């Protein structure tokens, strides 16, 4: 990101023309301790050997701003955090988003801005669908694992089989056997 202006804004070795880059991350499902927070990360000078001092503007060319959304139940649910939460919400209708932007943030809805709000609505739906799909896949995998564990236990109990015999009967792949052994706490 920092070197992207090379060839566009300057050529040769005029690195003094590098422009500062801001990377803004919007985290929609952060850990609870990070909800409704805004954090900035930046470069600082640290002398490891010697005392060569450089002006800040020559090295502080990257800032990262992390906006962690959290919803109305947490502290600091205000300003840009609330606005982004509303815009990216898959639960708030497009009409309600436009109303909130107009009434609460004095943003006049032009045709262009209405199109942008609509695009944000589509983005939030896409993010929600991906998150839902990921959660569903995790849930299914966990369910399959629990089903196999239950079947192994049942075969061991009712048939008097060893763990290895039960896994062989269930055709548990060789690479997964150690996982089930660990979950059951039994030797093969």
């Amino acid at each position: 990101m920092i070197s992207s202006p090379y060839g566009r804004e300057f050529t040769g070795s005029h690195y003094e023309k590098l422009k500062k880059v801001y990377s803004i991350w919007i985290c929609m499902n952060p850990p609870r301790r990070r909800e409704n927070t805004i954090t900035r990360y930046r470069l600082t000078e640290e002398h490891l050997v010697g005392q060569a001092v450089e002006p800040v503007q020559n090295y502080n060319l990257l800032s990262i701003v992390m906006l962690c959304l959290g919803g109305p139940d947490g502290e600091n649910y205000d300003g840009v955090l609330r606005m982004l939460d509303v815009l990216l919400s898959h639960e708030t209708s497009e009409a309600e988003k436009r109303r909130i932007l107009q009434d609460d943030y004095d943003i006049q809805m032009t045709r262009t801005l209405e199109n942008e709000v609509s695009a944000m609505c589509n983005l939030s739906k896409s993010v929600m669908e991906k998150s839902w799909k990921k959660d569903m896949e995790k849930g299914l995998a966990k369910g399959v694992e629990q089903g196999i564990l239950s079947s192994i236990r049942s075969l061991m109990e009712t048939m008097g089989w060893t763990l290895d015999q039960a896994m062989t009967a269930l055709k548990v792949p060789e690479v997964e056997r150690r996982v089930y052994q660990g979950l059951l706490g039994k030797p093969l």
Side-chain angles (χ1 to χ4, degrees):
M1 289 187 304
I2 291 173
S3 64
S4 65
Y6 182 79
R8 204 177 42 212
E9 300 206 23
F10 69 92
T11 57
S13 59
H14 292 281
Y15 291 101
E16 74 278 1
K17 293 185 179 182
L18 282 173
K19 302 239 189 299
K20 185 164 184 152
V21 174
Y22 294 89
S23 180
I24 300 172
W25 303 356
I26 301 173
C27 304
M28 296 181 59
N29 295 308
R32 194 139 191 78
R33 64 183 169 71
R34 294 198 62 110
E35 286 182 350
N36 293 326
T37 62
I38 300 175
T39 308
R40 179 180 62 186
Y41 301 91
R42 56 192 167 153
L43 300 177
T44 61
E45 185 174 64
E46 180 182 0
H47 303 279
L48 300 177
V49 176
Q51 294 297 316
V53 177
E54 188 70 30
V56 173
Q57 66 270 18
N58 289 351
Y59 65 82
N60 190 20
L61 297 172
L62 174 66
S63 278
I64 299 168
V65 178
M66 187 179 295
L67 295 106
C68 296
L69 307 182
D73 297 333
E75 288 184 56
N76 307 318
Y77 187 71
D78 192 344
V80 71
L81 291 170
R82 178 174 176 250
M83 184 187 334
L84 286 170
D85 189 54
V86 166
L87 281 172
L88 295 172
S89 170
H90 61 277
E91 296 167 356
T92 306
S93 71
E94 190 173 327
E96 180 66 7
K97 289 177 184 186
R98 285 196 304 267
R99 186 199 62 74
I100 291 170
L101 290 174
Q102 281 185 287
D103 295 351
D104 297 356
Y105 295 96
D106 294 323
I107 298 173
Q108 296 307 309
M109 285 291 123
T110 63
R111 182 55 118 189
T112 302
L113 203 48
E114 283 183 7
N115 290 338
E116 294 296 326
V117 170
S118 180
M120 292 296 281
C121 289
N122 291 335
L123 173 65
S124 67
K125 286 178 188 168
S126 173
V127 168
M128 189 269 308
E129 287 169 3
K130 287 178 185 172
S131 175
W132 177 80
K133 186 177 179 182
K134 189 176 180 182
D135 289 345
M136 187 177 81
E137 288 169 354
K138 283 182 184 176
L140 285 172
K142 189 71 175 167
V144 167
E145 180 181 89
Q146 291 301 314
I148 291 172
L149 280 172
S150 177
S151 297
I152 291 170
R153 283 188 190 111
S154 182
L155 286 172
M156 290 171 66
E157 182 181 311
T158 58
M159 303 297 288
W161 288 353
T162 66
L163 176 60
D164 190 45
Q165 289 170 323
M167 287 195 288
T168 299
L170 292 170
K171 298 182 180 174
V172 174
E174 203 62 45
V175 296
E176 296 176 15
R177 289 180 178 226
R178 291 252 181 248
V179 172
Y180 290 109
Q181 177 189 3
L183 291 169
L184 289 166
K186 301 225 183 245
L188 285 174

